[in-house]
Amino acid sequence: MQNLRYPAMAVAILMSLTSVFATAATLPVLDQQNNPLQDAVILVENVAQRPPLSSSMEQVDRQFQPRVLVVPAGTRVGFPNNDDVRHHVYSFSQTKRFELRLFQGSEAPPVVFEQAGPVVLGCNIHDAMIGYILVTDSPWYAITGTDGALDLNHLPAGARAVSWWHPSLGDKPAVSLGTMDLHTRDNLVLVVESVAGTGADKPLSPLQMRFNKAAGKDAD
Protein backbone atom coordinates (compact mmCIF):
# COMPACT_ATOMS: atom_id res chain seq x y z
CA MET A 1 0.00 0.00 0.00
CA GLN A 2 2.88 2.35 0.79
CA ASN A 3 4.27 2.01 -2.73
CA LEU A 4 0.96 3.14 -4.18
CA ARG A 5 1.30 6.56 -2.61
CA TYR A 6 3.97 7.70 -5.07
CA PRO A 7 1.96 7.08 -8.27
CA ALA A 8 -0.97 8.85 -6.65
CA MET A 9 1.20 11.81 -5.74
CA ALA A 10 2.63 11.90 -9.28
CA VAL A 11 -0.87 11.95 -10.74
CA ALA A 12 -1.86 14.78 -8.39
CA ILE A 13 1.19 16.83 -9.38
CA LEU A 14 0.54 16.21 -13.08
CA MET A 15 -3.10 17.29 -12.72
CA SER A 16 -1.99 20.42 -10.90
CA LEU A 17 0.52 21.32 -13.61
CA THR A 18 -2.05 20.63 -16.32
CA SER A 19 -4.47 22.98 -14.59
CA VAL A 20 -1.83 25.73 -14.43
CA PHE A 21 -0.85 25.44 -18.09
CA ALA A 22 -4.48 25.21 -19.19
CA THR A 23 -5.08 28.73 -17.87
CA ALA A 24 -2.18 30.20 -19.85
CA ALA A 25 -4.27 31.19 -22.87
CA THR A 26 -2.33 33.06 -25.54
CA LEU A 27 -2.97 33.67 -29.23
CA PRO A 28 -0.14 34.13 -31.75
CA VAL A 29 -0.61 37.32 -33.78
CA LEU A 30 1.29 37.35 -37.09
CA ASP A 31 1.83 39.73 -39.97
CA GLN A 32 1.11 38.80 -43.59
CA GLN A 33 4.53 37.13 -43.82
CA ASN A 34 3.79 34.94 -40.79
CA ASN A 35 6.23 36.82 -38.57
CA PRO A 36 5.31 37.54 -34.92
CA LEU A 37 3.72 40.99 -34.77
CA GLN A 38 4.71 43.18 -31.85
CA ASP A 39 2.61 46.11 -30.58
CA ALA A 40 -0.62 44.93 -32.21
CA VAL A 41 -3.61 46.10 -30.18
CA ILE A 42 -6.70 43.86 -30.14
CA LEU A 43 -10.01 45.39 -29.05
CA VAL A 44 -13.07 43.34 -28.05
CA GLU A 45 -16.62 44.55 -27.41
CA ASN A 46 -19.40 43.39 -25.06
CA VAL A 47 -17.26 42.20 -22.16
CA ALA A 48 -16.60 43.53 -18.69
CA GLN A 49 -14.59 46.75 -18.55
CA ARG A 50 -10.86 46.17 -18.14
CA PRO A 51 -8.75 48.56 -16.05
CA PRO A 52 -6.09 50.70 -17.75
CA LEU A 53 -2.84 48.99 -18.68
CA SER A 54 -0.92 52.10 -17.72
CA SER A 55 -1.32 55.81 -17.21
CA SER A 56 2.26 56.83 -17.85
CA MET A 57 4.47 57.17 -20.90
CA GLU A 58 8.05 57.71 -19.83
CA GLN A 59 11.02 58.93 -21.80
CA VAL A 60 14.00 56.62 -21.37
CA ASP A 61 17.20 56.67 -23.46
CA ARG A 62 15.53 59.22 -25.75
CA GLN A 63 12.67 56.89 -26.57
CA PHE A 64 9.07 56.65 -25.41
CA GLN A 65 8.47 53.79 -22.98
CA PRO A 66 6.29 51.99 -23.71
CA ARG A 67 6.36 52.67 -27.43
CA VAL A 68 2.63 51.91 -27.61
CA LEU A 69 0.26 52.70 -24.75
CA VAL A 70 -3.44 51.77 -24.68
CA VAL A 71 -5.80 53.61 -22.30
CA PRO A 72 -9.56 54.03 -21.88
CA ALA A 73 -11.02 57.39 -22.88
CA GLY A 74 -10.79 59.84 -20.01
CA THR A 75 -7.43 58.59 -18.72
CA ARG A 76 -4.85 61.03 -17.37
CA VAL A 77 -1.42 60.14 -18.76
CA GLY A 78 1.81 61.39 -17.22
CA PHE A 79 5.01 61.93 -19.21
CA PRO A 80 7.93 61.57 -16.76
CA ASN A 81 11.28 62.34 -18.33
CA ASN A 82 13.93 59.95 -17.00
CA ASP A 83 16.67 61.22 -19.31
CA ASP A 84 19.35 63.75 -18.41
CA VAL A 85 18.18 66.02 -21.24
CA ARG A 86 14.97 67.96 -21.72
CA HIS A 87 12.20 66.72 -24.00
CA HIS A 88 9.49 68.64 -25.86
CA VAL A 89 6.61 66.22 -26.37
CA TYR A 90 3.82 67.03 -28.80
CA SER A 91 1.06 65.58 -30.97
CA PHE A 92 -0.79 66.93 -33.99
CA SER A 93 -3.20 63.98 -34.08
CA GLN A 94 -6.87 64.85 -34.40
CA THR A 95 -7.71 62.69 -31.39
CA LYS A 96 -5.59 64.87 -29.08
CA ARG A 97 -3.48 67.87 -29.99
CA PHE A 98 -1.14 68.97 -27.22
CA GLU A 99 2.34 70.22 -26.49
CA LEU A 100 4.55 69.80 -23.41
CA ARG A 101 7.33 72.31 -23.77
CA LEU A 102 10.89 71.64 -22.63
CA PHE A 103 10.77 69.71 -19.34
CA GLN A 104 12.71 67.35 -17.15
CA GLY A 105 11.65 64.81 -14.53
CA SER A 106 7.98 65.18 -13.62
CA GLU A 107 7.69 68.88 -14.46
CA ALA A 108 5.13 68.34 -17.24
CA PRO A 109 1.50 68.08 -16.10
CA PRO A 110 -0.53 64.96 -16.97
CA VAL A 111 -2.59 65.08 -20.17
CA VAL A 112 -6.22 63.92 -20.21
CA PHE A 113 -7.18 61.90 -23.30
CA GLU A 114 -10.94 62.37 -23.51
CA GLN A 115 -11.64 61.16 -27.06
CA ALA A 116 -11.16 57.66 -28.46
CA GLY A 117 -8.68 57.29 -31.31
CA PRO A 118 -4.95 57.05 -32.07
CA VAL A 119 -2.44 59.68 -30.95
CA VAL A 120 1.02 59.85 -32.54
CA LEU A 121 3.69 61.46 -30.35
CA GLY A 122 6.95 63.14 -31.23
CA CYS A 123 9.69 65.17 -29.59
CA ASN A 124 10.66 68.51 -31.06
CA ILE A 125 14.21 68.08 -29.75
CA HIS A 126 14.86 64.47 -30.74
CA ASP A 127 13.41 63.64 -34.15
CA ALA A 128 14.00 59.90 -33.72
CA MET A 129 11.47 59.74 -30.85
CA ILE A 130 8.10 58.38 -31.96
CA GLY A 131 5.42 57.01 -29.65
CA TYR A 132 1.76 56.04 -29.86
CA ILE A 133 -1.21 56.23 -27.52
CA LEU A 134 -4.39 54.43 -28.53
CA VAL A 135 -7.36 55.83 -26.63
CA THR A 136 -10.31 53.44 -26.71
CA ASP A 137 -13.94 53.05 -25.68
CA SER A 138 -13.68 49.27 -26.05
CA PRO A 139 -14.13 47.48 -22.70
CA TRP A 140 -11.40 44.87 -23.35
CA TYR A 141 -8.04 45.38 -25.00
CA ALA A 142 -4.60 43.79 -25.01
CA ILE A 143 -1.34 44.38 -26.82
CA THR A 144 1.09 41.82 -28.20
CA GLY A 145 4.63 41.51 -26.86
CA THR A 146 7.90 41.02 -28.68
CA ASP A 147 6.92 37.41 -29.44
CA GLY A 148 3.59 38.44 -30.97
CA ALA A 149 1.64 36.62 -28.23
CA LEU A 150 -1.73 38.01 -27.14
CA ASP A 151 -2.78 37.25 -23.55
CA LEU A 152 -6.37 35.98 -23.49
CA ASN A 153 -6.49 35.00 -19.83
CA HIS A 154 -8.91 37.79 -18.89
CA LEU A 155 -11.11 37.46 -21.98
CA PRO A 156 -14.22 35.26 -21.59
CA ALA A 157 -14.82 32.75 -24.37
CA GLY A 158 -17.49 33.58 -26.93
CA ALA A 159 -18.00 35.28 -30.27
CA ARG A 160 -17.74 39.07 -30.07
CA ALA A 161 -16.93 42.05 -32.27
CA VAL A 162 -13.15 42.34 -32.62
CA SER A 163 -10.97 45.07 -34.11
CA TRP A 164 -7.26 45.81 -34.25
CA TRP A 165 -4.78 48.67 -34.41
CA HIS A 166 -1.03 48.82 -35.02
CA PRO A 167 1.53 51.66 -35.26
CA SER A 168 1.66 51.09 -39.02
CA LEU A 169 -1.84 52.61 -39.15
CA GLY A 170 -0.59 55.90 -37.68
CA ASP A 171 -3.53 58.28 -37.22
CA LYS A 172 -5.97 55.86 -38.84
CA PRO A 173 -8.66 54.28 -36.60
CA ALA A 174 -8.84 50.64 -35.55
CA VAL A 175 -9.82 48.12 -38.24
CA SER A 176 -12.76 45.76 -37.74
CA LEU A 177 -12.25 42.00 -37.96
CA GLY A 178 -15.94 41.21 -37.63
CA THR A 179 -17.32 38.79 -35.03
CA MET A 180 -15.14 35.95 -33.79
CA ASP A 181 -14.14 33.92 -30.74
CA LEU A 182 -10.42 34.49 -30.25
CA HIS A 183 -10.19 31.43 -28.00
CA THR A 184 -11.03 29.10 -30.88
CA ARG A 185 -8.38 30.41 -33.29
CA ASP A 186 -4.94 28.94 -33.92
CA ASN A 187 -3.55 32.38 -34.77
CA LEU A 188 -4.53 35.82 -35.99
CA VAL A 189 -2.97 37.25 -39.17
CA LEU A 190 -3.02 41.03 -39.68
CA VAL A 191 -2.01 42.82 -42.87
CA VAL A 192 0.19 45.74 -41.82
CA GLU A 193 2.42 48.23 -43.56
CA SER A 194 6.03 48.65 -42.52
CA VAL A 195 6.72 51.24 -39.85
CA ALA A 196 9.42 53.83 -40.51
CA GLY A 197 12.62 53.26 -38.56
CA THR A 198 13.49 55.40 -35.57
CA GLY A 199 17.21 55.79 -36.20
CA ALA A 200 18.73 59.25 -36.38
CA ASP A 201 19.69 58.63 -40.01
CA LYS A 202 16.09 58.06 -41.06
CA PRO A 203 14.05 60.78 -42.82
CA LEU A 204 11.63 62.80 -40.75
CA SER A 205 8.09 61.54 -40.46
CA PRO A 206 5.19 63.70 -41.76
CA LEU A 207 4.35 64.47 -38.12
CA GLN A 208 7.85 65.78 -37.43
CA MET A 209 7.89 67.82 -40.64
CA ARG A 210 4.56 69.40 -39.66
CA PHE A 211 5.91 70.37 -36.25
CA ASN A 212 9.13 71.75 -37.71
CA LYS A 213 7.14 73.84 -40.19
CA ALA A 214 4.84 75.16 -37.45
CA ALA A 215 7.86 75.94 -35.24
CA GLY A 216 9.75 77.61 -38.08
CA LYS A 217 12.48 74.99 -38.08
CA ASP A 218 14.29 73.84 -41.22
CA ALA A 219 12.86 70.38 -42.06
CA ASP A 220 15.90 69.35 -44.14
Side-chain angles (χ1 to χ4, degrees), residues 195-214:
V195 182
T198 57
D201 58 338
K202 301 295 182 180
L204 298 184
S205 69
L207 176 68
Q208 292 163 334
M209 289 188 288
R210 287 170 61 190
F211 189 97
N212 288 349
K213 182 178 180 180

Side-chain angles (χ1 to χ4, degrees), residues 34-138:
N34 288 324
N35 297 314
L37 185 61
Q38 182 181 0
D39 290 336
V41 180
I42 305 300
L43 310 165
V44 181
E45 307 301 324
N46 301 319
V47 293
Q49 183 72 43
R50 191 174 181 187
L53 294 177
S54 176
S55 59
S56 178
M57 177 167 272
E58 303 180 15
Q59 295 96 67
V60 181
D61 295 331
R62 303 187 184 188
Q63 295 295 330
F64 289 106
Q65 295 290 341
R67 176 171 173 259
V68 178
L69 177 68
V70 189
V71 298
T75 298
R76 294 165 60 90
V77 177
F79 291 86
N81 178 3
N82 296 315
D83 288 331
D84 57 2
V85 296
R86 293 181 180 272
H87 290 305
H88 188 148
V89 176
Y90 66 93
S91 174
F92 282 123
S93 296
Q94 184 175 357
T95 299
K96 183 70 177 184
R97 299 173 184 266
F98 72 96
E99 182 180 359
L100 300 175
R101 295 183 178 273
L102 291 170
F103 67 93
Q104 286 182 311
S106 300
E107 295 174 348
V111 177
V112 180
F113 292 82
E114 306 93 343
Q115 178 182 341
V119 179
V120 183
L121 306 173
C123 175
N124 187 36
I125 307 302
H126 307 100
D127 290 333
M129 289 178 60
I130 299 291
Y132 306 86
I133 297 179
L134 182 65
V135 188
T136 182
D137 288 326
S138 297

